[in-house]
């Protein structure tokens, strides 16, 4: 299972694999197997094809997979930069822990952004998140039953949302939020979170709006409809560099070792 070769242009994918493994292959000749907390930060830029396959390595049992893929727009000035991917291995991703007055734990994992003096690993170099002024944050927040924690304020005018994806319900200020729902937040105000009876997990997404026109269709995110049509035309003509793999859905063998192979052949592994 998975997503065989398909193109992107004009934005980034930030893929957070919380459970299981994902096999990446792309039109630059790069490949990776990552998961169990790893993050891939892919800048599509001027255009890339990639495949995202889910290897079924356990032949005797289920192969569970849980991930988020976040699409992060690029500003006009970076829409056509060279494609690039970064690996944020699980061991490099920091956590901030807080215990409330009753000792109940809230654990915040930082894939992007900062919390107090703790900083996430650097994003891809051409990302909107690469400038601290844009205050991009991608956090997952795990709260013990009945735990309380105050989400700190950020700059005013940011886009900020909180998605409860596991648990039962939380109280966000005076707003009750049930699992499977998203809450839009005022970034310029702190927010007291009070969890319900089950352990809860939330996804926080935050960033300064780019403030440019947006045109999107299928796998392309640009500024105008004309640029979208040009993206389709360019892909038909160039295939964004072609596809160097023998199939549209490559899987990287039966081993479980995680790695990233760059277009120049350099191999990187988790520390």
């Amino acid at each position: 299972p998975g997503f065989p070769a398909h193109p992107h242009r004009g934005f980034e994918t930030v893929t957070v694999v919380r459970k299981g493994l994902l096999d990446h292959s792309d039109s630059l000749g790069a490949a990776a197997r990552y998961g169990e907390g790893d993050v891939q930060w892919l800048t599509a830029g001027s255009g890339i094809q990639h495949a995202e396959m889910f290897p079924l390595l356990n032949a005797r049992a289920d192969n569970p997979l849980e991930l988020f893929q976040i699409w992060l727009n690029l500003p006009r000035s970076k829409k056509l930069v060279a494609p690039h991917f970064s690996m944020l291995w699980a061991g490099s991703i920091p956590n901030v822990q807080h215990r409330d007055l009753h000792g109940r734990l809230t654990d915040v994992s930082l894939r992007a952004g900062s919390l107090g003096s703790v900083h996430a690993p650097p994003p891809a170099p051409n990302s909107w998140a690469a400038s601290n002024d844009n205050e991009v944050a991608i956090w997952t927040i795990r709260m013990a039953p009945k735990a309380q924690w105050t989400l700190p304020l950020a700059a005013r005018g940011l886009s900020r949302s909180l998605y409860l994806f596991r648990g039962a319900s939380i109280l966000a200020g005076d707003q009750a939020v049930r699992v499977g729902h998203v809450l839009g937040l005022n970034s310029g105000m702190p927010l007291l979170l009070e969890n319900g009876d089950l352990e809860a997990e939330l996804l926080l997404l935050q960033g300064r709006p780019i403030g440019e026109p947006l045109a999107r269709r299928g796998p392309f995110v640009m500024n105008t409809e004309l640029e979208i049509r040009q993206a389709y035309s360019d892909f038909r003509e160039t295939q964004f560099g072609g596809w160097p793999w023998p199939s549209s859905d490559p899987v990287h063998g039966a081993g479980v070792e995680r790695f990233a192979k760059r277009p120049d052949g350099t191999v990187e592994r988790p520390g």
Side-chain angles (χ1 to χ4, degrees):
F3 300 93
H6 57 281
H8 291 303
R9 172 181 276 187
F11 69 105
E12 299 183 291
T13 60
V14 183
T15 307
V16 180
V17 182
R18 290 164 43 87
K19 183 186 299 182
L21 294 169
L22 187 154
D23 280 0
H24 164 92
S25 306
D26 67 38
S27 53
L28 305 177
R33 171 167 286 173
Y34 64 99
E36 303 299 343
D38 300 328
V39 178
Q40 184 195 70
W41 200 303
L42 175 68
T43 305
S46 61
I48 192 171
Q49 289 191 71
H50 73 155
E52 301 159 293
M53 305 306 299
F54 311 135
L56 302 179
L57 301 180
N58 192 334
R60 298 173 178 265
D62 291 340
N63 290 264
L65 180 77
E66 182 182 322
L67 64 84
F68 291 106
Q69 185 170 93
I70 297 139
W71 286 25
L72 183 60
N73 196 16
L74 287 166
R76 187 192 305 272
S77 61
K78 301 292 180 71
K79 287 284 188 191
L80 298 181
V81 296
H84 174 87
F85 80 83
S86 301
M87 291 305 308
L88 312 183
W89 301 109
S92 72
I93 294 170
N95 287 61
V96 177
Q97 296 188 335
H98 169 81
R99 290 192 181 274
D100 63 21
L101 294 176
H102 301 284
R104 297 170 182 136
L105 179 66
T106 296
D107 184 279
V108 185
S109 182
L110 309 182
R111 274 69 176 208
S114 301
L115 179 55
S117 61
V118 180
H119 306 278
N126 285 302
S127 176
W128 185 246
S131 171
N132 292 335
D133 291 342
N134 297 326
E135 296 196 42
V136 173
I138 301 172
W139 303 349
T140 50
I141 303 164
R142 179 168 53 85
M143 302 183 73
K146 302 294 187 181
Q148 297 184 350
W149 179 67
T150 299
L151 175 66
L153 61 79
R156 292 185 179 276
L158 304 182
S159 173
R160 195 183 218 191
S161 61
L162 196 62
Y163 169 43
L164 179 62
F165 65 90
R166 192 169 72 87
S169 65
I170 63 166
L171 193 62
D174 59 0
Q175 176 71 53
V177 182
R178 292 181 290 112
V179 68
H181 288 73
V182 177
L183 189 65
L185 305 180
N186 180 340
S187 60
M189 297 178 60
L191 180 68
L192 176 63
L193 302 177
E194 301 179 70
N195 190 22
D197 295 331
L198 301 178
E199 182 176 84
E201 289 192 270
L202 306 102
L203 175 67
L204 176 90
L205 299 177
Q206 171 187 289
R208 187 174 304 283
I210 292 174
E212 296 175 350
L214 187 68
R216 58 184 179 180
R217 190 186 312 156
F220 305 133
V221 181
M222 303 300 291
N223 294 111
T224 68
E225 183 62 27
L226 181 61
E227 290 170 341
I228 291 289
R229 292 198 294 269
Q230 186 65 52
Y232 276 95
S233 176
D234 290 347
F235 178 63
R236 285 193 296 268
E237 182 176 344
T238 70
Q239 297 294 297
F240 293 162
W243 187 249
W245 303 92
S247 71
S248 65
D249 55 354
V251 176
H252 305 318
V256 296
E257 189 173 6
R258 291 135 60 214
F259 72 94
K261 181 180 178 182
R262 305 289 174 177
D264 64 2
T266 305
V267 176
E268 173 188 337
R269 301 189 188 278

